[in-house]
Amino acid sequence: MFVDNDLLIRNIRDSGALGATTQAKCYRTRWDMHEEYESFANLGQIAIELARMNSLAGRSKPDGTPDPIPYGITESWGLIYEKGNFTSPHSHWPSTWGFVYTVKACPNCSPLVFDQMEEQVEFTPKTGQMILFPAWLNHSVPEQTCDHERIKIAGNLDTAWFKNRKLYREL
C-alpha cells in the first residue's frame, strides 16, 4: 500500500494542535485521526496487517483450524516535534498493540526508546518506517535536538471481537 507522507503532513496540520496535557510535549493532533482522514485509516490498516503477521498469541476454532484475530484501530494521532520537544515515558496499555510511523525525520532526530527490556532499545527514525510493539511496553522520546521537524504518527490497535458492543458499565 502506498503511503503519501505529504498528505499525512497536510492532514496533521489541517487538524490543528490540541492543548491537552499528555506525555507528548509537542504539537499533537486529536486522537481519532483515522476516523477523520482516509490517510490515517489507510496507515492504520498497514499496522493491522503487521499485527496479523506478528500475532502475540494464536487462536483455534473448535475444529482446530486457525481463528484469525480481528483488530481495529482505536486511536491514531499526529505528532510534530520541534527542537526541545520530547515525550515522557508511557505505555499504550490497555490496548493490544501500539504503532509509530515516521512521516519525516533524519538519522540525527531523537530516537524512540524502549527502556523495559533487559537492555534499553532505541530506534533511530527513518522516513517511511513503521514500528509495531506490544502496547504495554513503556517508551519515550528524548528531547529533539535537530533544528527541523520530526513528524510521526502514533496509534493503538485492539482486538475487535465485539466491534459494536459495550463491554463494561459506567459507574
Side-chain angles (χ1 to χ4, degrees):
M1 181 179 286
F2 173 74
V3 177
D4 185 342
N5 286 339
D6 292 333
L7 177 59
L8 289 166
I9 291 170
R10 283 195 306 276
N11 292 161
I12 289 168
R13 294 190 195 289
D14 289 347
S15 174
L18 291 182
T21 303
T22 69
Q23 302 300 64
K25 308 306 180 203
C26 63
Y27 177 109
R28 185 190 57 76
T29 67
R30 55 195 291 163
W31 299 108
D32 61 351
M33 293 290 283
H34 59 286
E35 293 176 2
E36 295 296 318
Y37 297 94
E38 186 177 352
S39 62
F40 275 71
N42 290 339
L43 195 64
Q45 288 304 312
I46 293 171
I48 287 171
E49 288 306 314
L50 284 174
R52 286 183 182 143
M53 293 185 315
N54 297 286
S55 181
L56 291 171
R59 281 181 55 97
S60 297
K61 296 178 183 175
D63 67 2
T65 59
D67 188 6
I69 298 170
Y71 290 108
I73 308 162
T74 49
E75 294 94 18
S76 66
W77 60 98
L79 302 152
I80 300 176
Y81 293 82
E82 294 181 346
K83 190 171 188 170
N85 292 160
F86 64 94
T87 296
S88 301
H90 66 286
S91 74
H92 293 205
W93 188 88
S95 290
T96 306
W97 290 103
F99 67 90
V100 177
Y101 175 78
T102 302
V103 182
K104 179 183 171 189
C106 81
N108 298 320
C109 283
S110 298
L112 175 63
V113 177
F114 291 92
D115 61 4
Q116 274 185 289
M117 314 294 209
E118 198 168 297
E119 291 184 30
Q120 180 171 293
V121 176
E122 295 185 3
F123 288 94
T124 301
K126 294 178 184 135
T127 299
Q129 173 190 60
M130 181 175 284
I131 298 172
L132 180 76
F133 54 93
W136 54 264
L137 279 177
N138 275 351
H139 55 284
S140 61
V141 176
E143 185 175 318
Q144 170 75 351
T145 58
C146 292
D147 289 322
H148 59 85
E149 295 175 327
R150 173 188 185 272
I151 303 177
K152 304 285 269 187
I153 291 172
N156 295 321
L157 305 177
D158 284 299
T159 57
W161 300 115
F162 304 103
K163 205 172 198 173
N164 297 313
R165 185 174 158 197
K166 202 173 216 178
L167 299 176
Y168 60 87
R169 287 193 180 146
E170 294 188 36
L171 301 176

